[in-house]
Amino acid sequence: MASGVYFCDIKGKPILSRRYRDDISISAIDNFAPLLFELEEESSVIPPCLSHRDVQYMFIQHEDLYVVAISTSLQTNAAQIFTFLHKLVAVLGDYLKTVEEESVRDNFVIIYELLDEMMDYGIPQITETKMLKQYITQKSFKLVKAVKKVKAVARPPTTLTNSVSWRAEGITYKKNEAFLDMVESVNMLMTHQGQVLRSEIIGQVKVKSRLSGMPDLKLGINDRGIFSKITSDVVNDGEPSSITSGKKKLNVELEDLKFHQCVRLSKFENEKIITFIPPDGDFELMSYRLTTPVKPLIWCDVNVQVHSQSRIEIHCRAKAQIKKKTIANNVEILIPVPDDADTPSFKYSHGSIKWVPEKSAILWKIRSFSGGKEYSMAAQMGLPSISGNEKPKFKRPVQVKFQIPYFTTSGINVRYLKITEPKLQYKSYPWVRYITQSGDDYTIRLN
């Protein structure tokens, strides 16, 4: 548990604080700035946890702020405290829009109220913005005038005292629907010969709930043994977990599995069933990561030829290495060129091409790319800095972006999504959608 939470400026000096326990001195935070300065002088890498005279300083940096939690117990759950600090910044972002030193100084009243409600005696309590906004109604940079009538004062909703603190009571919709999106982002690094140097899949299960009352949802995943015989621990919004089977590693190995707090972990650990009462609106139900080898979904073969008279020629052959009935949408291939290249001319079989001089690159767009298809393009550009047939060196890789609907690279699929509401017993409509897309690092080296 945390003894206190502090907001410090970029030099480590406190600008706002909230102490929850008396086991630390008031001046304990004064040691944070010297410790920070000493580490900055010694090393460029600063650990997120500092220790000084049996006092632990756990902190995160956001913009020009340090958000620090102080504890004296060596048995403190550091992962829980760091999760709370990140959640605190996210909640402040919903209230203040921008979380920085100036906005903290201008909105200390709101921040004190949030600190009082989000943590009690150093233990995290309420961290859902939707619930906090029901009774902390002040606007940023403005103070709400005092209310004369006691009846008009905003009071904490009764939901906060229940086990389902992330959902309010009395929610109603004319049409009850639940939308589930399984999104997988593929990151991959390849050589120009086609060898995969690194590949990973980052998956997210996103839910948009438009359901009345207190619905109970049950999610079933395909029978590939993904969740069977799990030996490692999985926690809500907690530490990464490696999932393997009892006898051997599974074909699909989920390395980082994290659930929203609404998921019943005991039910999942005992029966491998995902059951939950969802928050209202959009939220991320589950996230995971896989590092199993994956073949390139969109492959590009780029060949550079240098001719005499300061002229360069670039040939690119793109192929969709997916099933024939599958279509990749909004494919973008960004091919780097030398910084001083000019006067481009293009020939291509499909899509559209344009020169992007501010990025020193050629952008090839293909709106619809069917599986098994192969397209090619050629570009000629002037290159004043090249003399003879010397081939230029490319420091930047080819970047590829795409989206493939109705498809998951890992093979994970939803078998069913059941919705029940014991009191209202209404008719509901669950919708499931799959999307595979390029991640932030889907690249092909040229040299």
Side-chain angles (χ1 to χ4, degrees), residues 363-381:
L363 181 60
W364 185 12
K365 291 185 177 182
I366 304 174
R367 181 175 294 181
S368 180
F369 205 160
S370 301
K373 293 288 185 179
E374 184 176 313
Y375 302 121
S376 60
M377 60 79 66
Q380 289 190 10
M381 307 184 77

Side-chain angles (χ1 to χ4, degrees), residues 288-323:
Y288 56 90
R289 183 172 67 91
L290 301 92
T291 55
T292 52
V294 179
K295 75 172 185 178
L297 302 176
I298 303 294
W299 164 246
C300 297
D301 182 15
V302 180
N303 184 27
V304 180
Q305 296 179 353
V306 179
H307 302 280
S308 58
Q309 300 177 351
S310 302
R311 187 169 59 88
I312 186 173
E313 191 171 346
I314 299 175
H315 296 269
C316 179
R317 182 169 53 91
K319 184 176 181 180
Q321 300 184 145
I322 51 181
K323 295 181 180 179

Side-chain angles (χ1 to χ4, degrees), residues 309-314 337-346 355-357 360-362 379-386:
Q309 300 177 351
S310 302
R311 187 169 59 88
I312 186 173
E313 191 171 346
I314 299 175
V337 299
D339 294 338
D340 58 344
D342 57 12
T343 60
S345 62
F346 306 113
W355 180 35
V356 189
S360 298
I362 298 170
Q380 289 190 10
M381 307 184 77
L383 204 61
S385 62
I386 293 295

